[in-house]
Amino acid sequence: IKDIKDIKDIKDIKKEEEFYHGMFPKRQLWQPHKEYPLWDANWDGLQPPPLDNRDEERRRQRHVRKEGITRHVVMIRHGQYDEREKDDAKRILTPLGREQADLTGRRLKEMMEHILDQDCVTNTDGIEENGNDENGNGNRKPTLKPKTPLTPVVVKVMYVSNMARAKETADIIGRHLPIDTMRAAPDALLNEGRPCHTIPAGSGKASPNSIAKTDEGHLRIEEAFRKYFHRAEFVEEEGNTTATATAPTTAPTSDDQTDAGAGHDKETNPTNKHVFEIYVCHANVIRYFTCRALQLPPEAWLRFCNLNCSLTYLTIRPTGTVSCRMFGDIGHLPYHKSTFSMHHGYNW
């Protein structure tokens, strides 16, 4: 599938169609715009056309890298929930799932705070803290100084799917976020689903039901990817290579949420070149988004495993490059509180 408009209506699926290596309809195989492993620099449609003057083009690229906004996308899988219920409204978090969400909120709070631990010191002269150098010589004490304080993280907005378990997780996490963090209205595009087929295919040839679910799920989840994943747009004035950095084009839509930080002076804000966003959603969605953002075959999504309340953290640079800083990180959860759905720990 190369574009949303290429997806056929589920009712129009033909009984006899070409299958990809006997696994699933070939039309449902993702077709990249550039052959793997080449990188598509214009993956989000926001790559400006090159300038005729090569020196001016290089100057513009340097300016974009220096002055553009980096988007920090932190995706969180919901906490453990009661899978025995069929009605989504009743599929709420278990007591352990609520603990997981609370610990995740505390982890994010720690990430956001401006921390200076006076007990953390840096050795500045190559002398170990026992007074010896790397060769074991010397008796004098090392010169120590406090480590440079960490730059605070400012979360711009938290997005959430429209499913009960994700909304409850977001509510608990939100208790730990600054009061001026914007909260977007729940978005059903972020709901769980089947984003595409998987390779390896498991049971072999896809069933008609699996084909239909893939058509339906892919259409929606791919739309969500294109809505939320893109570089922060750089607007250029006509006839001028100087660009102006703009905030991400995706904005919160909650009717009862206002931008408490709207009056802040962005020119004097040291963090104005880094925008952090939180997405509380689902395992399949996060795995698919990660593959698509890194331009990996999305059919590989099931090869990844992200536990409940794990963090997956991607950066999107103003030049359009994407990197993964974390995937499925659960460093904030002790072993006995780690789960993948109803599976506890790692021995499953």
Side-chain angles (χ1 to χ4, degrees):
I1 302 170
K2 194 170 184 178
D3 206 340
I4 292 176
K5 64 177 178 293
D6 296 331
I7 301 175
K8 298 180 181 179
D9 190 279
I10 296 175
K11 296 179 181 178
D12 295 332
I13 296 177
K14 297 179 181 180
K15 293 181 180 180
E16 299 295 334
E17 54 184 340
E18 185 179 1
F19 270 59
Y20 182 70
H21 291 276
M23 293 182 289
F24 51 80
K26 194 171 183 178
R27 63 178 177 79
Q28 291 184 320
L29 177 70
W30 178 261
Q31 298 292 339
H33 289 281
K34 285 199 173 182
E35 180 184 1
Y36 294 123
L38 296 177
W39 179 261
D40 179 10
N42 195 31
W43 61 273
D44 56 356
L46 295 177
Q47 177 82 357
L51 299 174
D52 294 333
N53 187 304
R54 298 180 67 178
D55 291 336
E56 290 295 329
E57 175 64 20
R58 285 194 292 268
R59 192 175 297 116
R60 179 176 69 176
Q61 288 297 321
R62 288 195 298 269
H63 186 71
V64 170
R65 286 193 295 270
K66 182 179 178 181
E67 301 298 333
I69 294 173
T70 295
R71 296 184 62 204
H72 299 252
V73 178
V74 180
M75 297 180 285
I76 302 171
R77 187 189 175 195
H78 56 79
Q80 186 192 56
Y81 70 102
D82 188 349
E83 298 184 25
R84 296 169 298 178
E85 297 289 344
K86 298 299 181 183
D87 182 6
D88 179 69
K90 297 180 180 179
R91 306 185 92 180
I92 59 176
L93 300 183
T94 64
L96 176 56
R98 290 191 286 273
E99 285 188 67
Q100 293 169 338
D102 183 70
L103 290 169
T104 304
R106 295 176 187 275
R107 168 84 178 275
L108 292 173
K109 182 176 184 291
E110 182 181 277
M111 289 172 61
M112 289 183 291
E113 289 179 340
H114 193 165
I115 301 173
L116 174 57
D117 187 347
Q118 295 295 342
D119 294 330
C120 293
V121 292
T122 300
N123 189 342
T124 61
D125 58 6
I127 305 296
E128 296 179 2
E129 294 194 23
N130 61 9
N132 296 327
D133 62 19
E134 59 183 6
N135 297 317
N137 301 316
N139 295 312
R140 64 188 180 87
K141 292 183 178 181
T143 301
L144 303 176
K145 68 176 182 179
K147 286 184 177 179
T148 302
L150 300 175
T151 303
V153 171
V154 179
V155 177
K156 182 181 189 300
V157 60
M158 180 165 62
Y159 298 97
V160 62
S161 87
N162 197 37
M163 304 190 84
R165 55 190 183 272
K167 290 187 286 188
E168 186 178 2
T169 301
D171 287 341
I172 295 172
I173 290 174
R175 299 169 190 167
H176 299 280
L177 301 180
I179 193 172
D180 61 349
T181 301
M182 292 185 289
R183 180 78 175 268
D187 188 352
L189 291 178
L190 295 169
N191 287 2
E192 186 63 302
R194 182 177 176 84
C196 64
H197 292 289
T198 62
I199 299 176
S203 59
K205 187 174 182 180
S207 67
N209 183 54
S210 177
I211 293 171
K213 283 187 175 180
T214 300
D215 272 328
E216 180 182 9
H218 177 80
L219 176 64
R220 172 178 56 79
I221 297 171
E222 174 64 18
E223 182 180 351
F225 175 79
R226 299 188 186 201
K227 176 180 179 180
Y228 291 110
F229 278 77
H230 53 81
R231 75 195 77 186
E233 189 172 4
F234 222 71
V235 179
E236 297 177 289
E237 297 178 2
E238 187 176 355
N240 190 342
T241 57
T242 301
T244 303
T246 63
T249 56
T250 303
T253 57
S254 178
D255 294 335
D256 58 356
Q257 178 67 61
T258 59
D259 185 354
H264 293 180
D265 183 1
K266 293 183 179 180
E267 296 299 323
T268 59
N269 183 354
T271 62
N272 65 353
K273 293 178 183 176
H274 294 269
V275 174
F276 288 77
E277 304 165 23
I278 297 173
Y279 295 78
V280 182
C281 51
H282 306 271
N284 296 358
V285 175
I286 292 171
R287 290 183 279 192
Y288 179 80
F289 283 176
T290 301
C291 288
R292 286 282 286 112
L294 298 177
Q295 297 191 23
L296 303 175
E299 290 81 10
W301 65 268
L302 197 56
R303 302 175 200 175
F304 293 90
C305 182
N306 44 350
L307 277 64
N308 294 110
C309 278
S310 59
L311 305 184
T312 297
Y313 176 3
L314 305 178
T315 57
I316 307 175
R317 297 296 184 184
T319 55
T321 59
V322 182
S323 62
C324 180
R325 291 187 172 180
M326 304 177 191
F327 183 88
D329 188 315
I330 54 167
H332 52 291
L333 300 178
Y335 177 79
H336 66 283
K337 296 185 186 298
S338 302
T339 61
F340 185 91
S341 299
M342 301 308 290
H343 300 288
H344 290 257
Y346 312 139
N347 191 23
W348 46 272

